Amino acid sequence: MAPIWLLGQTQQSISEVWQSDQGDGTYVNPILHADYSDPDVVRVGEDYYMTASSFNCIPGLPILHSKDLVNWQLVNHALPKQVPLDVFDMPQHANGVWAPCIRFHEGMYYIFYPDPDFGIYMIKTNDPNTNWSEPQLIKSGKGLIDPAPLWDEDGKAYLAYAFAGSRAGIKSMLMVCAMSPDATRTVENDVLVFDGHEKQPTIEGPKFYKRNGYYYLFAPAGGVSTGWQLVLRSKNVLGPYEEKIVMEQGATPINGPHQGAWVDTITGEDWFIHFQDKGAYGRVVHLQPMKWKNDWPIIGKDQGNGIGVPVLGYKKPNVGKMYPKVTPPDSDGFDTTSLELQWQWHANPKLYWGFPTSNGYFRLFCQAIPEGVTNLWDVPNLLLQKWPSETFTATTKVAFRAHEDGEKAGFLIMGRSYAYLEVKQEKDELYVSQVICDNADLKGIETVGKSYKVKSNELYLRIVVNKGGKCLFSFSEDGKTFKNVGEGFVAREGKWIGAKIGYFAQRKGITNNAGYLDIDWIRFTP
């Protein structure tokens, strides 16, 4: 049976604001202009499955599917709630699911993911579109990150991983240990196989492969936004490993091109998927051609020195067939019996935060502000999705039905600093205003702009996002004439995630009958 958040899913729609597929046999990068950080991909037959880091956002571990490596559909989340439950019932910014690895072995799909505070977990399934197993901690320890398994031809299994200096107190090294073939436990015989301190600082994120008798570790080095792609190889699984830089930024605008997945096609082509850190936009996903020379890969366009640079566009992979355009969802009519897959909460959700209705709304209830919280940074009931493009207009139709003065709802751009359109009841009247909070992660205080009294509780709220993350806010009572509200706002990223857009509903104090926001639809347009 499909997980509950899949029930009632509507037919796949095509984004109006970002399509990589150009319709002429070519594509442009990024293939996903959205924050799918630390992407990893596996091919099984003609199908490709991708997962990515999700940190504190729930449901986590997104599962995307593609037939051609360019057009991707969001089909599932492998992690409906994050463990330990008592920890992740409140926001844990920058914690939770770090760089995962997805693999297929003997009929089973596996995801290995690290939680830097607890260790390395494994989940599995025989169908990535449905339920995954409960997380199993197969290697405990603070600061163990970026796991990648390898099943060898002799039946033995291994796990590569790295260290997070913030937890372990050491970094810039890659390790390998033995693992049981069923991936349920590791053996404590860990070996340092590569030390990057001298030439490859901040090496991390290994992906483990074998080809032509060589063991390969593909690993990023040099830092998230400033680094390059390194490849290590050895005839022995435990090394020593040779090293070679195989992709760098060069003269291109694609900074830090690294951390991702080598995949092939059924026609024998090789490709590499990686991310680029774009600040408020998060880590967007690129696709690079790849070729082998003297048993070393070259990723992107060869500069003539055996080191590639990223391409901005290219001919689509030859997968033997042509497939239609698909994209992850962004617009939503909220007319299904469950939340569509683009929506995530900032912590493990509670039923009473909100749920679908039978008449085509998502109802979000005003929750009490948690004790000791100064702004939205530590509020768990934020319903948000990733930004889908560099520029877009997001318009939503809502109805706010407050039960008491002081209750409010917001249409929100969330990050380390945030801003939102507030709809609030005061003296039995409704008012719209812009609220800005600078440095929310450092306990910044919200400032409320000029308020505009509205006659109806049914409103159209709009946020326009321009290049550089510049946001403009407006509202309308008829859906035709919009009034600008407040000042411009430049979005900021969150902790290891991009800025997000969505909703919240809030009140001071607990009640037995809270007001609510009925969300009718949200539409993303150019």
Side-chain angles (χ1 to χ4, degrees):
M1 181 179 177
I4 189 65
W5 61 87
L6 282 178
L7 298 178
Q9 287 289 306
T10 56
Q11 187 174 0
Q12 171 69 27
S13 61
I14 305 297
S15 174
E16 295 183 35
V17 296
W18 188 261
Q19 297 175 27
S20 172
D21 192 332
Q22 300 300 286
D24 60 0
T26 67
Y27 71 93
V28 295
N29 273 320
I31 52 171
L32 294 171
H33 203 300
D35 183 35
Y36 289 99
S37 177
D38 309 317
D40 192 38
V41 181
V42 66
R43 178 177 70 85
V44 181
E46 297 181 348
D47 296 286
Y48 295 91
Y49 289 96
M50 179 192 299
T51 191
S53 301
S54 49
F55 299 99
N56 64 294
C57 301
I58 289 295
L61 285 172
I63 304 296
L64 297 100
H65 172 258
S66 179
K67 287 286 191 177
D68 62 8
L69 291 172
V70 171
N71 293 283
W72 290 90
Q73 182 177 0
L74 182 61
V75 296
N76 199 359
H77 286 91
L79 200 63
K81 286 195 174 184
Q82 196 154 184
V83 295
L85 297 179
D86 59 339
V87 173
F88 290 99
D89 282 350
M90 288 298 293
Q92 299 290 331
H93 297 280
N95 301 336
V97 176
W98 284 25
C101 180
I102 185 169
R103 290 292 179 265
F104 182 77
H105 178 66
E106 294 185 348
M108 295 295 292
Y109 294 83
Y110 293 83
I111 293 178
F112 297 78
Y113 77 87
D115 183 314
D117 294 308
F118 296 98
I120 294 169
Y121 291 90
M122 181 276 293
I123 59 175
K124 61 183 179 179
T125 183
N126 59 10
D127 182 354
N129 299 284
T130 58
N131 291 316
W132 290 69
S133 64
E134 292 293 320
Q136 182 174 351
L137 187 63
I138 65 169
K139 190 172 185 65
S140 63
K142 266 186 174 293
L144 308 183
I145 59 170
D146 305 345
L150 177 76
W151 285 272
D152 213 342
E153 292 100 329
D154 60 4
K156 295 180 180 179
Y158 303 91
L159 189 72
Y161 64 93
F163 293 109
S166 59
R167 299 345 191 256
I170 57 176
K171 57 181 280 189
S172 297
M173 293 177 287
L174 300 185
M175 305 290 291
V176 171
C177 67
M179 180 178 73
S180 62
D182 64 0
T184 59
R185 61 184 178 85
T186 56
V187 179
E188 303 302 320
N189 60 350
D190 309 62
V191 175
L192 170 65
V193 297
F194 187 79
D195 185 342
H197 283 91
E198 185 176 346
K199 296 180 180 178
Q200 311 296 342
T202 318
I203 191 168
E204 56 188 353
K207 294 294 185 292
F208 219 167
Y209 307 104
K210 193 175 185 183
R211 176 187 181 271
N212 284 357
Y214 280 105
Y215 296 91
Y216 289 93
L217 287 165
F218 285 47
V224 169
S225 60
T226 56
W228 51 87
Q229 181 65 36
L230 185 72
V231 168
L232 312 172
R233 75 178 187 185
S234 175
K235 290 285 188 176
N236 188 320
V237 69
L238 297 179
Y241 280 83
E242 305 172 82
E243 65 186 89
K244 189 177 190 302
I245 295 174
V246 299
M247 182 174 61
E248 60 188 8
Q249 179 175 354
T252 75
I254 311 304
N255 60 294
H258 62 212
Q259 180 122 355
W262 163 37
V263 290
D264 62 5
T265 68
I266 59 172
T267 65
E269 293 181 348
D270 293 292
W271 295 83
F272 188 75
I273 283 180
H274 67 96
F275 73 72
Q276 174 198 9
D277 190 321
K278 289 193 68 173
Y281 294 95
R283 300 177 191 177
V284 301
V285 183
H286 290 244
L287 175 66
Q288 303 297 336
M290 177 175 140
K291 62 182 180 181
W292 290 89
K293 186 176 181 180
N294 299 324
D295 284 321
W296 288 107
I298 301 173
I299 299 174
K301 181 181 179 181
D302 191 348
Q303 301 174 96
N305 59 357
I307 301 176
V309 295
V311 299
L312 303 182
Y314 207 73
K315 64 180 179 181
K316 291 171 60 179
N318 178 7
V319 293
K321 300 177 184 178
M322 296 294 292
Y323 292 97
K325 291 183 181 181
V326 293
T327 64
D330 44 46
S331 298
D332 192 353
F334 295 99
D335 52 4
T336 66
T337 56
S338 65
L339 267 176
E340 296 285 2
L341 290 169
Q342 66 265 43
W343 299 104
Q344 295 173 294
W345 303 92
H346 252 23
N348 288 331
K350 309 295 184 186
L351 175 63
Y352 44 80
W353 289 357
F355 34 72
T357 66
S358 58
N359 57 350
Y361 297 92
F362 189 85
R363 180 163 293 179
L364 199 61
F365 290 92
C366 295
Q367 295 295 303
I369 301 171
E371 186 176 347
V373 166
T374 58
N375 57 49
L376 293 179
W377 185 254
D378 290 317
V379 170
N381 59 309
L382 306 182
L383 181 64
L384 306 171
Q385 65 164 290
K386 307 173 191 298
W387 283 14
S389 180
E390 186 172 39
T391 63
F392 59 88
T393 296
T395 307
T396 185
K397 182 183 179 183
V398 299
F400 183 53
R401 294 178 170 85
H403 284 177
E404 295 180 6
D405 285 351
E407 291 184 327
K408 68 178 186 179
F411 189 37
L412 170 69
I413 295 290
M414 187 65 193
R416 289 177 183 262
S417 296
Y418 64 79
Y420 61 89
L421 279 172
E422 175 187 80
V423 185
K424 188 174 184 179
Q425 178 172 303
E426 296 289 1
K427 297 181 180 178
D428 293 324
E429 303 283 358
L430 286 183
Y431 296 86
V432 173
S433 56
Q434 183 196 50
V435 178
I436 294 178
C437 183
D438 291 323
N439 301 316
D441 56 329
L442 302 177
K443 300 191 180 298
I445 303 300
E446 292 187 349
T447 58
V448 183
K450 180 181 177 180
S451 295
Y452 298 87
K453 184 178 177 180
V454 292
K455 298 177 181 178
S456 171
N457 61 8
E458 291 191 358
L459 296 166
Y460 300 82
L461 309 177
R462 175 172 287 173
I463 302 174
V464 177
V465 175
N466 295 306
K467 286 186 178 182
K470 299 176 181 177
C471 305
L472 300 173
F473 297 77
S474 60
F475 78 95
S476 172
E477 294 189 69
D478 60 9
K480 299 175 182 178
T481 303
F482 282 79
K483 183 176 184 61
N484 292 332
V485 179
E487 57 191 83
F489 171 75
V490 179
R492 294 181 64 196
E493 71 282 358
K495 275 193 172 182
W496 299 126
I497 64 174
K500 302 185 82 170
I501 185 170
Y503 308 88
F504 73 95
Q506 198 174 61
R507 57 172 286 121
K508 293 181 179 178
I510 298 171
T511 183
N512 66 355
N513 194 20
Y516 54 86
L517 181 75
D518 272 348
I519 309 168
D520 191 348
W521 48 257
I522 183 172
R523 295 170 186 159
F524 290 81
T525 56

